[in-house]
Amino acid sequence: GAVVSQHPSWVICKSGTSVKIECRSLDFQATTMFWYRQFPKQSLMLMATSNEGSKATYEQGVEKDKFLINHASLTLSTLTVTSAHPEDSSFYICSASRIDPMRGRITDTQYFGPGTRLTVL
Amino acid sequence: GQNIDQPTEMTATEGAIVQINCTYQTSGFNGLFWYQQHAGEAPTFLSYNVLDGLEEKGRFSSFLSRSKGYSYLLLKELQMKDSASYLCAVIGEDSSYKLIFGSGTRLLVRP
């Protein structure tokens, strides 16, 4: 259980175009999903917290107009990198927290998707 | 501020034991995680500690001391496939369940 998928797994695009990345929880409901970015040989940096049915919460320094997040259902969150530039090239990873049906609240463990490698030419 | 420290790199021999330390200073504490990440892949969950003490799971064990702001991940009977980055992450007092990651420790296992 607790499988999270991402699509696409990799994408190459031209500078100035927009790219959409999907994050799905396959076998559980996720009211909260997180989006991270990771540059080579660096750790994960949280970009934003995505809550189903409400606006995402962005971390300091992350442009919300550039990184659009939509969490339309309990199993799907999308990140759109608008007007991508070469400096946006990175490994984008989502994670999801699962609702514990016995306790009726979010469990603490986050389950990560396989990541999307974005290369902007 | 929030600060999580780990050694940058470690090297160990196949079959040996290695301990990766993590110290943290966060505003509040609601649990500490260890994740394993192979190059080019997403992190995979290893362990979760919220109370003091040792949690053992096969070849991997994780220890927590909340009073010292300290944790370690212990890997026994090292295998070549254990070569990876090991990430320490903390959930602070924020109720949003955000993980604060350390910079990760790259472990190289040699024959």
Side-chain angles (χ1 to χ4, degrees):
Chain A
V3 177
V4 177
S5 71
Q6 273 184 249
H7 178 80
S9 55
W10 61 269
V11 58
I12 301 173
C13 69
K14 292 182 179 179
S15 186
T17 60
S18 295
V19 174
K20 180 188 281 189
I21 303 170
E22 292 185 349
C23 177
R24 292 181 186 273
S25 56
L26 297 184
D27 55 355
F28 65 100
Q29 294 182 327
T31 57
T32 302
M33 291 183 172
F34 302 87
W35 286 97
Y36 296 86
R37 182 167 53 182
Q38 186 177 35
F39 292 105
K41 295 191 177 180
Q42 294 185 24
S43 192
L44 281 72
M45 296 299 297
L46 179 66
M47 299 174 67
T49 303
S50 169
N51 295 295
E52 186 265 337
S54 64
K55 290 183 179 179
T57 304
Y58 290 81
E59 295 300 300
Q60 194 172 7
V62 178
E63 300 174 58
K64 56 181 158 186
D65 293 332
K66 180 171 181 62
F67 298 99
L68 301 178
I69 291 173
N70 184 286
H71 194 155
S73 76
L74 284 173
T75 59
L76 173 64
S77 175
T78 60
L79 168 69
T80 302
V81 183
T82 63
S83 187
H85 289 94
E87 56 266 30
D88 298 323
S89 298
S90 186
F91 192 46
Y92 290 85
I93 308 174
C94 73
S95 71
S97 292
R98 186 175 56 180
I99 296 173
D100 183 337
M102 297 300 291
R103 293 188 286 180
R105 69 175 186 87
I106 296 174
T107 62
D108 297 314
T109 303
Q110 290 183 25
Y111 298 92
F112 286 84
T116 298
R117 187 159 304 282
L118 170 63
T119 303
V120 184
L121 302 177
Chain B
Q2 320 271 46
N3 196 42
I4 299 178
D5 288 317
Q6 304 177 235
T8 305
E9 288 186 351
M10 298 183 72
T11 303
T13 306
E14 191 177 16
I17 299 173
V18 70
Q19 177 174 312
I20 302 174
N21 296 324
C22 171
T23 57
Y24 62 90
Q25 294 172 311
T26 56
S27 49
F29 178 82
N30 282 293
L32 184 144
F33 294 82
W34 283 96
Y35 285 88
Q36 180 191 61
Q37 185 180 29
H38 286 98
E41 299 180 12
T44 54
F45 170 77
L46 290 179
S47 68
Y48 170 57
N49 294 70
V50 65
L51 300 176
D52 290 349
L54 187 68
E55 295 277 344
E56 296 188 75
K57 228 188 233 186
R59 295 190 299 115
F60 291 40
S61 303
S62 57
F63 171 83
L64 175 68
S65 169
R66 288 173 296 171
S67 62
K68 296 181 180 177
Y70 167 70
S71 173
Y72 67 72
L73 179 69
L74 193 71
L75 293 78
K76 302 176 187 174
E77 302 169 15
L78 279 173
Q79 302 175 8
M80 299 299 290
K81 66 178 182 180
D82 297 329
S83 292
S85 286
Y86 292 86
L87 308 176
C88 173
V90 171
I91 293 181
E93 67 180 359
D94 192 326
S95 61
S96 65
Y97 302 92
K98 292 191 295 187
L99 280 174
I100 306 162
F101 278 90
S103 55
T105 299
R106 284 194 299 277
L107 174 66
L108 175 62
V109 179
R110 290 181 170 162

